[in-house]
Amino acid sequence: MAPPKEKHDHKTLKFPPSFLWGAATSAYQVEGNNVNADWWDWEQKNQPPSLRSGIACDQYNKYEQDFALIKQLNHNAHRLSIEWSRIEPREGEFNNSEIEHYLKVLKSLKELKIKVMLTLWHFTLPKWVSNIGGWENRKTINFFERFVKRVTREIAPYVDFWITINEPGVYIYQTYIRKEWPGSKGSSLGQIKTALNLASAHKKVYRYLHQTYPDKPIGMAQNVQSFQTYHKHSLVEQISVVFADFVANHLFYFLTRGTHDFLGINYYFHVRFQNSQRILPEIEDASQGYRDISDLGWEIYPEGLFDVLTDLSDGIPIYITECGIASTNDDRRNRFLITYLHEVYRAIKSGVDVRGFFYWSLVDNFEWSKGFQPRFGLVEVDYATLERRIRPSALVYTDIIAHNGIPHSLLRFIGHTVQAAEVLEKRLKEELRKKRHRPNHK
Ligand code: GCO
């Protein structure tokens, strides 16, 4: 099917021609039954049944249906990942039927003329890799490289962009600092080794792919956060911003400099440092601060996207490889899409070379240790029946794609400050109501 004709509207905020518009997923979060992954065992031991991935969205079997939705929604690109633990369930034993499966998956996207951005590692490890210490063990670098060489040999014709690894910083934070993810050994040395080994793995795989498939750009997806002080004048808060910005946003790029054909940016977080009774400032709890927040308590802060884009822009193309909101209120997703994309537009106008946007996520899915409660999807999944329902926000996104920009008719939604004020007012009223009903303990 030919791509839809671009609609003309003089008041549209136009994006560059051939901009990539799509959504992102990862294998473990949507496929279901990834029984050979470290996450699978960890869930059975540590999570209540409601927080286990189980059959997830059953995309392993329903990929054609989901890709038909992508087409119906006019996306011209899609980001997805392959599951290492399916392809190499035991050391050195590659499962050809699983490679066949992914070939079918990728071919079906190509048949629909969708550009494919493929992530080679998105958080989960085969159990046998995790048993030798996962990314803490240097051997994992070579195992990963061998897996990449084996699988890309077959799938490369159906891939347009490679993402080597997804969010090393989040992986380390969740595994070692929060200890909410599998594989945590809790040691600081382990954290450092993991970071360095992930950087080496990226570089090795970059060099191999670059040499073997010179026409397919390679990057990684990095979780980039916008940091701010709570009090403008506080020096301690300002130092925290500089330090956090370096560690979270720049350190990994620094460790892997020279091995990125593009920057892949996942943007979700706006963080405010606030002086506390302790020596180090705390991170403001956005819900307690009466900020506008998502269902996960993450602050809605579109301007932060502009800030990180302009901050990181250094002459190589940028793809926003993830950006999305967990919300059961789809009006909020509409506003999210328009306001965040408006910031992307502003960044492009100011000279940042942004070439694509992948909303997280195409369908509701398994949000790791948070289970299925958070709803990120453009498409709703009814987990009882696995039925898919297109949300109205998905159509707003389709409208934007059809215009290759934000049409005037949608711009009126940009009054997000009004929205934030409304949310705030509602919460304050709720607080007051609760206070009135609370017994007085004094
Ligand atoms: C991550 C991932 C995704 C998440 C998404 C929403 O950042 O953890 O890349 O797997 O589901 O970011 O939290």
Side-chain angles (χ1 to χ4, degrees):
M1 206 164 53
K5 284 239 157 49
E6 213 176 272
K7 288 182 191 159
H8 286 287
D9 172 349
H10 294 304
K11 291 190 181 130
T12 293
L13 304 183
K14 283 280 182 198
F15 279 56
S18 62
F19 194 80
L20 295 189
W21 297 100
T25 60
S26 89
Y28 195 86
Q29 294 178 272
V30 293
E31 282 180 350
N33 284 333
N34 270 309
V35 297
N36 294 314
D38 56 346
W39 262 85
W40 187 269
D41 274 4
W42 179 85
E43 284 167 28
Q44 318 311 312
K45 285 185 207 124
N46 300 284
Q47 296 289 78
S50 63
L51 292 179
R52 296 180 193 157
S53 58
I55 199 166
C57 313
D58 195 24
Q59 199 188 70
Y60 187 82
N61 296 305
K62 295 188 186 307
Y63 66 92
E64 280 178 313
Q65 185 186 336
D66 286 347
F67 296 170
L69 289 171
I70 292 177
K71 196 66 198 171
Q72 188 185 337
L73 295 171
N74 276 351
H75 298 190
N76 59 18
H78 187 57
R79 177 179 169 221
L80 74 168
S81 75
I82 48 175
E83 178 62 36
W84 182 5
S85 66
R86 275 189 191 278
I87 297 170
E88 193 183 357
R90 275 164 297 280
E91 188 188 333
E93 275 179 36
F94 289 88
N95 183 332
N96 286 326
S97 69
E98 293 292 2
I99 298 182
E100 273 303 312
H101 168 79
Y102 285 116
L103 274 171
K104 278 195 251 154
V105 168
L106 296 170
K107 277 183 191 168
S108 68
L109 281 170
K110 283 284 108 189
E111 274 157 23
L112 296 169
K113 305 233 172 349
I114 303 285
K115 291 255 185 251
V116 172
M117 185 176 269
L118 190 82
T119 313
L120 296 162
W121 182 72
H122 198 123
F123 294 155
T124 51
L125 288 169
K127 282 179 209 168
W128 62 269
V129 176
S130 141
N131 290 343
I132 60 156
W135 286 112
E136 280 186 25
N137 189 333
R138 276 198 69 74
K139 284 186 184 157
T140 300
I141 304 170
N142 291 338
F143 287 139
F144 181 59
E145 192 195 19
R146 180 178 65 181
F147 155 70
V148 169
K149 284 185 173 167
R150 172 73 180 81
V151 76
T152 54
R153 185 168 93 200
E154 308 201 33
I155 63 177
Y158 311 101
V159 174
D160 300 286
F161 299 85
W162 305 108
I163 297 276
T164 55
I165 56 178
N166 183 68
E167 297 192 348
V170 169
Y171 178 73
I172 291 167
Y173 179 73
Q174 294 286 14
T175 309
Y176 291 93
I177 298 172
R178 299 287 297 255
K179 299 190 174 60
E180 286 181 4
W181 284 10
S184 170
K185 312 275 181 307
S187 81
S188 329
L189 187 64
Q191 263 177 71
I192 295 167
K193 281 191 198 159
T194 298
L196 296 176
N197 291 342
L198 279 164
S200 301
H202 164 82
K203 288 194 282 188
K204 260 198 152 173
V205 164
Y206 174 90
R207 289 198 185 105
Y208 171 75
L209 294 174
H210 193 68
Q211 213 170 30
T212 320
Y213 312 104
D215 56 337
K216 296 178 195 288
I218 310 147
M220 52 168 273
Q222 164 90 323
N223 183 289
V224 172
Q225 314 185 19
S226 84
F227 295 100
Q228 199 183 338
T229 59
Y230 189 93
H231 305 95
K232 291 272 180 263
H233 64 273
S234 162
L235 191 61
V236 182
E237 290 175 12
Q238 283 170 24
I239 292 168
S240 307
V241 166
V242 173
F243 181 72
D245 178 53
F246 176 71
V247 173
N249 298 338
H250 296 274
L251 181 58
F252 209 81
Y253 282 135
F254 175 74
L255 293 174
T256 54
R257 65 195 174 282
T259 56
H260 299 268
D261 298 333
F262 62 88
L263 298 184
I265 286 182
N266 295 358
Y267 174 71
Y268 295 95
F269 298 112
H270 181 63
V271 176
R272 293 166 202 263
F273 287 106
Q274 188 173 22
N275 267 328
S276 67
Q277 312 293 31
R278 287 185 242 135
I279 306 172
L280 292 174
E282 284 171 350
I283 288 174
E284 182 204 42
D285 175 345
S287 63
Q288 293 304 310
Y290 293 100
R291 309 284 178 190
D292 187 10
I293 53 170
S294 75
D295 289 357
L296 280 168
W298 303 350
E299 185 178 345
I300 308 297
Y301 193 74
E303 295 87 340
L305 181 52
F306 176 86
D307 294 343
V308 296
L309 287 172
T310 48
D311 179 40
L312 282 156
S313 163
D314 73 349
I316 66 169
I318 295 183
Y319 291 90
I320 296 162
T321 38
E322 279 180 38
C323 184
I325 179 174
S327 183
T328 48
N329 177 342
D330 202 46
D331 276 346
R332 306 198 69 214
R333 195 172 345 268
N334 287 336
R335 239 171 264 119
F336 179 94
L337 278 163
I338 300 160
T339 53
Y340 278 63
L341 283 168
H342 185 240
E343 296 303 318
V344 178
Y345 173 81
R346 290 205 304 127
I348 293 170
K349 282 283 152 199
S350 79
V352 184
D353 186 7
V354 188
R355 300 203 183 168
F357 182 88
F358 293 82
Y359 176 80
W360 182 275
S361 177
L362 177 67
V363 285
D364 290 336
N365 61 49
F366 177 69
E367 180 58 14
W368 306 113
S369 54
K370 305 273 185 320
F372 292 99
Q373 203 76 28
R375 299 287 187 151
F376 276 97
L378 293 170
V379 175
E380 182 187 346
V381 175
D382 177 339
Y383 290 112
T385 61
L386 293 174
E387 202 187 311
R388 275 58 167 160
R389 280 181 223 114
I390 291 178
R391 291 197 165 104
S393 57
L395 302 176
V396 165
Y397 192 41
T398 298
D399 196 21
I400 292 172
I401 299 170
H403 286 84
N404 194 36
I406 312 171
H408 185 70
S409 55
L410 292 179
L411 286 173
R412 63 195 160 89
F413 280 105
I414 286 183
H416 54 88
T417 46
V418 176
Q419 157 69 4
E422 278 169 12
V423 171
L424 178 60
E425 198 183 280
K426 232 168 101 184
R427 282 212 198 110
L428 287 170
K429 274 191 192 148
E430 185 58 17
E431 273 299 303
L432 279 173
R433 197 187 56 80
K434 275 193 210 145
K435 267 192 196 138
R436 264 188 237 118
H437 291 98
R438 212 172 281 155
N440 193 345
H441 294 296
K442 275 189 198 150

